[in-house]
Amino acid sequence: MTDLSTEHAVAPRRRRAPRGQGDRLREEIIDATERLLVEKGDQDAVSIRAVADAVGVSPPSIYLHFEDKNELIFAVCERHFARFDAILQAARESEDDPVESLMACGRAYVRFGLENPEHYRILFMTKPEQTPESWTAEKVMGSAAFEHLVEAVAMAIDSIDIQPRPDPVFVSISMWSIAHGITSLLLTHPNFPWPDRDALVEYVLTMPIRGLLPR
Amino acid sequence: MTDLSTEHAVAPRRRRAPRGQGDRLREEIIDATERLLVEKGDQDAVSIRAVADAVGVSPPSIYLHFEDKNELIFAVCERHFARFDAILQAARESEDDPVESLMACGRAYVRFGLENPEHYRILFMTKPEQTPESWTAEKVMGSAAFEHLVEAVAMAIDSIDIQPRPDPVFVSISMWSIAHGITSLLLTHPNFPWPDRDALVEYVLTMPIRGLLPR
DNA sequence: TGTACATCAGTGAACGCGCGTTCACTGATGTAC
DNA sequence: TGTACATCAGTGAACGCGCGTTCACTGATGTAC
C-alpha cells in the first residue's frame, strides 16, 4: 500500500483517452462504482470523490458523463438488473420439468441476493425516494425478468393442471414476495440463529405452489 | 408558521425541568425523535440538531441523556418493539380458533409494517452495521414477540394434528419471512401494480400452514 | 429569616469532516490551410 | 512540411452545507448554617 492519507484505494492517475473515445471513461466509472459498492458494502459510502479516486480521475470528470450521482447509481442498477435476469433465465433453463424449473428460478433468486447483497439492496430494498429516478415499479414490472417469471409460473401451473386455473401474475407476485422475504431477512439479520438455510429456502419456495395443489 | 429560516419545526424554548426531574427531558427527547422519524420518513433525516429543535432545547443537551446518536435511536426502537409485540398479542387473542389466531397475527404484522413504515424499516430492514449496537438478532430471537409467535404456531399445529409434528420454530421463521416479504415489498415498491392487497396478504400468509396439511 | 454555596439542568460557540457540485481553466491532439 | 487554431478530455480550487460531538460556561434552585 502506497497511499498516504486517504482512506480508500486511489488508482494511479489515469491516462487521458484518445480523441473520440471519451466514452471509455463512462464505462470505467461504472465499473469502479460497482467495485466500490461491493467492497464498501454501503451505497452511502460510495461518493463521487471515492469513485473518481478509484478511476484515477478528478471528481468533476464524473460530471462529463453523468448528470448527477443519481444517474450514476442508476446506470449501475441497470447493468446489474440485466445480469440478474440472465442468471434467473439460466437457472430456469437448467431444468426440463416446469415445476422444477420454477424452483430453480427461486433458488437462483435467493442465491443472487445473498451473493450480491449490495446490488440486491439497491434493486429491491431501497426506499422509493432514494431509488434513482425512473427506476420505478413500472421498470420492474415491464422488465424482462418479471415477464420471464410469469412465463415460468404459467408453465408450471399448466403442467400440473389446476382447476380453476390461478392467475399466473398473482402467483408470480406471491412467489416474488416470498423469495424476497427470505432473501432480505437473511441479509439484514445474518446473526439470527437460522435453521438450515437451504431447507428453509426450499420450504418457503415450495409453498405458493403446494398451496395450489388439489387436496 | 412563524419559523424564519430553518427547515424543520422548531419548538419554543423549553422550560427547564425542576430539580430532580432531569429525566423528564429524556422522555421528551425520545418522543420528539419518534415524531420526527414518522414525519420525515427517513432515519437519516433525523439529526441531533433536528431533535434538539423539536424539543426546544440545545443540541448538547441531548448528550446529557444519551451517550450518542446510536443510543437514542436504540431507545426509540425498544419502545416501538414493545408496542409491536403488544399489537400482535392483541390480534392473537382476538380469535379463539388457533389457526385463525395465527392468521390474525400475520395480518396484524403486515398492517403494523404498513402503518409504521419507518419503525418497521428500523426494526427489520436495516443493515446490521447501521442497526444500533446490541440490537442484535439475539434480541429479536429472545424477544417476547418471537416467543409469542412460536407459541401461536405451536398451538395452530397441534389443533390440526399434523403427523409428523413439524418444528414450531421452523414454521415460525418461515411465517415470519413470508410476512416480512410482502410487508417490505409493499413498502419499498408502493407504485408497483399490486393485485388486491388483502387477497395477496391472505394468500401468502396461508401458505406455510396450508403446506403442512395432509394431501 | 437571611445568605453563602453546591448542585443540577442546561447553553453558545466552535471543532473538523466529507459531501455534491460548479466554475474558470489547461493542455494534448487532430485538422485546415 | 509547418503552423495557427478549434476541439476535446479533462483539472484545481473552491462553494456552501449539515452533520456529530466537545468544551468551557451559566444561571436557577434547593440546602446548610
Side-chain angles (χ1 to χ4, degrees), chain A residues 16 19 45-49 59-60 63 68-69:
Chain A
R16 180 195 185 134
R19 222 78 187 308
V46 176
S47 66
I48 293 283
R49 285 161 215 260
Y63 292 89
D68 52 22
K69 195 187 176 184

Side-chain angles (χ1 to χ4, degrees), chain B residues 105-210:
Chain B
C105 265
R107 287 183 208 109
Y109 182 106
V110 178
R111 195 176 329 111
F112 174 89
L114 299 181
E115 284 173 3
N116 305 274
E118 216 47 46
H119 287 105
Y120 189 83
R121 261 196 189 92
I122 297 181
L123 289 177
F124 296 119
M125 299 169 70
T126 307
K127 48 187 350 191
E129 312 92 61
Q130 278 179 23
T131 305
E133 272 167 53
S134 82
W135 183 257
T136 58
E138 289 69 41
K139 192 101 188 178
V140 179
M141 188 67 178
S143 71
F146 190 76
E147 278 174 25
H148 290 151
L149 173 60
V150 176
E151 263 177 47
V153 166
M155 288 177 66
I157 287 175
D158 291 339
S159 84
I160 51 181
D161 189 31
I162 309 169
Q163 292 307 333
R165 184 173 188 273
D167 175 17
V169 172
F170 186 89
V171 176
S172 294
I173 291 175
S174 304
M175 251 205 106
W176 177 31
S177 90
I178 286 176
H180 170 73
I182 189 66
T183 306
S184 59
L185 272 193
L186 283 168
L187 285 182
T188 46
H189 298 83
N191 296 320
F192 186 86
W194 297 106
D196 180 66
R197 178 175 290 187
D198 289 338
L200 187 61
V201 170
E202 210 66 14
Y203 178 69
V204 296
L205 285 181
T206 319
M207 294 299 103
I209 312 219
R210 203 186 289 187

Side-chain angles (χ1 to χ4, degrees), chain B residues 4-197:
Chain B
L4 302 171
S5 58
T6 35
E7 263 204 40
H8 47 259
V10 177
R13 184 118 263 172
R14 174 177 169 276
R15 294 199 62 166
R16 180 195 184 132
R19 223 74 188 310
Q21 301 190 30
D23 278 353
R24 243 158 56 172
L25 179 51
R26 193 188 149 87
E27 288 307 306
E28 290 181 39
I29 291 173
I30 298 183
D31 286 346
T33 306
E34 197 165 339
R35 223 178 320 122
L36 273 178
L37 210 53
V38 172
E39 272 172 28
K40 303 240 192 177
D42 183 2
Q43 189 182 171
D44 292 335
V46 176
S47 66
I48 293 283
R49 284 160 216 260
V51 171
D53 277 349
V55 179
V57 104
S58 73
S61 300
I62 309 288
Y63 292 90
L64 297 175
H65 300 278
F66 301 92
E67 262 291 296
D68 52 22
K69 196 188 174 182
N70 205 36
E71 219 193 64
L72 168 56
I73 300 282
F74 177 53
V76 176
C77 280
E78 265 200 325
R79 183 198 273 195
H80 225 74
F81 199 64
R83 211 172 288 167
F84 175 57
D85 180 38
I87 288 177
L88 290 200
Q89 278 294 90
R92 192 183 157 199
E93 284 159 12
S94 72
E95 298 281 346
D96 284 334
D97 175 63
V99 173
E100 269 314 305
S101 176
L102 184 56
M103 283 298 291
C105 265
R107 287 183 208 109
Y109 182 106
V110 178
R111 195 176 329 111
F112 174 89
L114 299 181
E115 284 173 3
N116 305 274
E118 216 47 46
H119 287 105
Y120 189 83
R121 261 196 189 92
I122 297 181
L123 289 177
F124 296 119
M125 299 169 70
T126 307
K127 48 187 350 191
E129 312 92 61
Q130 278 179 23
T131 305
E133 272 167 53
S134 82
W135 183 257
T136 58
E138 289 69 41
K139 192 101 188 178
V140 179
M141 188 67 178
S143 71
F146 190 76
E147 278 174 25
H148 290 151
L149 173 60
V150 176
E151 263 177 47
V153 166
M155 288 177 66
I157 287 175
D158 291 339
S159 84
I160 51 181
D161 189 31
I162 309 169
Q163 292 307 333
R165 184 173 188 273
D167 175 17
V169 172
F170 186 89
V171 176
S172 294
I173 291 175
S174 304
M175 251 205 106
W176 177 31
S177 90
I178 286 176
H180 170 73
I182 189 66
T183 306
S184 59
L185 272 193
L186 283 168
L187 285 182
T188 46
H189 298 83
N191 296 320
F192 186 86
W194 297 106
D196 180 66
R197 178 175 290 187

